[in-house]
Amino acid sequence: MEIGTAEIVDEIDGIRRARPGRLSGSGPAGNGGGRNPGGGGDGPDDDPPTDATRFVPEKSRVLTAFLLLVVLMTFGGLSAAYIVIATNNAVEWRPFSLPIQVWVSTALILLSSITFHLGKTSVMRDDQPRAKKWFIVTTALGAAFISSQILAWFELVSRGLYVKGNSYIGFFYILTAVHAVHVVGGIIALGSILLRVWYPTANAGADLKRRTLAQVVGWYWHFMAGIWLALFVLLGFWK
């Protein structure tokens, strides 16, 4: 009888020792091994945060919007200076016809804007092969645009058109060079999209990142195409 009583007492003590651990999982400060969803241990709240929860798309959108504002102010200031000098009828203002390479550049950047839109649409539709194809085409068109700009500068140098003694050619070099630098930045951003869409993925965080990246880089790329159109009209028809 004593032996049986001792066994029962031991069992009760074991239950009492185990119970606080389980109940602590349901308490506000508990981090034990309870199965209560609000507690710790094996509950879902103890899972490490995924990429989708760590990544905040709004931050990328806000930063891109701020960048576009800075770019707009930069080209706005340069364009305003160009217009002021062009309307003063200064002696050193000697405009010339734009080389054919500038027209080619215009066609290339407009076409690249279309292909980027097709790539972004493919990303939003989870069509990885088509997205990859269109972003490769867009990157190639961007590189061709830069090449045509370099050829345009070489053409002007071969004509003997230098910055000295001609304010118009000075503005042409400055405006097109600053724009080309920004396009190179866009090409680098395109490369980051290509890395993300090169292979298909089923990861929700990775998918969210490449969708957001396609959106914000699209803003930048289309914006640079619009800036170029404004420069093209300014340099070609406001002389």
Side-chain angles (χ1 to χ4, degrees):
M1 186 65 180
E2 293 179 355
I3 295 176
T5 304
E7 291 176 352
I8 293 173
V9 170
D10 290 339
E11 290 177 0
I12 293 174
D13 290 339
I15 293 173
R16 287 178 178 176
R17 286 193 299 269
R19 184 174 297 172
R22 294 200 176 195
L23 294 177
S24 64
S26 60
N31 56 0
R35 297 180 180 274
N36 192 310
D42 298 332
D45 288 347
D46 281 343
D47 292 339
T50 61
D51 290 341
T53 59
R54 286 197 300 263
F55 178 68
V56 182
E58 285 303 323
K59 290 183 180 180
S60 300
R61 297 188 182 106
V62 170
L63 289 174
T64 304
F66 178 76
L67 174 62
L68 295 182
L69 180 61
V70 173
V71 173
L72 180 62
M73 293 175 64
T74 301
F75 283 99
L78 291 173
S79 299
Y82 174 94
I83 293 173
V84 169
I85 297 178
T87 54
N88 283 340
N89 297 321
V91 177
E92 64 274 9
W93 187 263
R94 293 191 296 273
F96 52 85
S97 59
L98 297 179
I100 188 64
Q101 291 86 352
V102 175
W103 295 82
V104 173
S105 298
T106 304
L108 288 172
I109 200 165
L110 290 178
L111 186 59
S112 72
S113 188
I114 295 173
T115 58
F116 187 97
H117 176 73
L118 294 173
K120 176 194 168 186
T121 302
S122 299
V123 168
M124 298 306 177
R125 293 176 178 174
D126 292 325
D127 191 346
Q128 178 268 335
R130 289 178 64 85
K132 176 181 174 181
K133 178 187 72 174
W134 286 121
F135 284 137
I136 289 175
V137 172
T138 305
T139 304
L141 289 172
F145 173 85
I146 297 297
S147 300
S148 66
Q149 289 294 284
I150 296 174
L151 292 176
W153 298 331
F154 284 155
E155 172 65 20
L156 295 178
V157 170
S158 67
R159 294 185 191 178
L161 297 172
Y162 302 99
V163 176
K164 184 178 180 181
N166 189 349
S167 301
Y168 175 80
I169 186 62
F171 272 104
F172 180 91
Y173 283 133
I174 292 173
L175 289 170
T176 55
V178 172
H179 183 270
V181 169
H182 285 81
V183 172
V184 170
I187 293 174
I188 295 173
L190 276 170
S192 66
I193 297 179
L194 269 176
L195 290 176
R196 293 192 178 276
V197 303
W198 198 262
Y199 298 106
T201 180
N203 183 276
D207 184 64
L208 177 62
K209 283 185 178 181
R210 66 183 183 183
R211 284 170 180 261
T212 305
L213 192 60
Q215 182 184 51
V216 297
V217 174
W219 292 352
Y220 183 87
W221 194 260
H222 298 316
F223 188 78
M224 295 314 302
I227 290 290
W228 175 256
L229 282 180
L231 296 180
F232 177 74
V233 171
L234 197 66
L235 294 169
F237 303 98
W238 194 314
K239 301 179 181 180

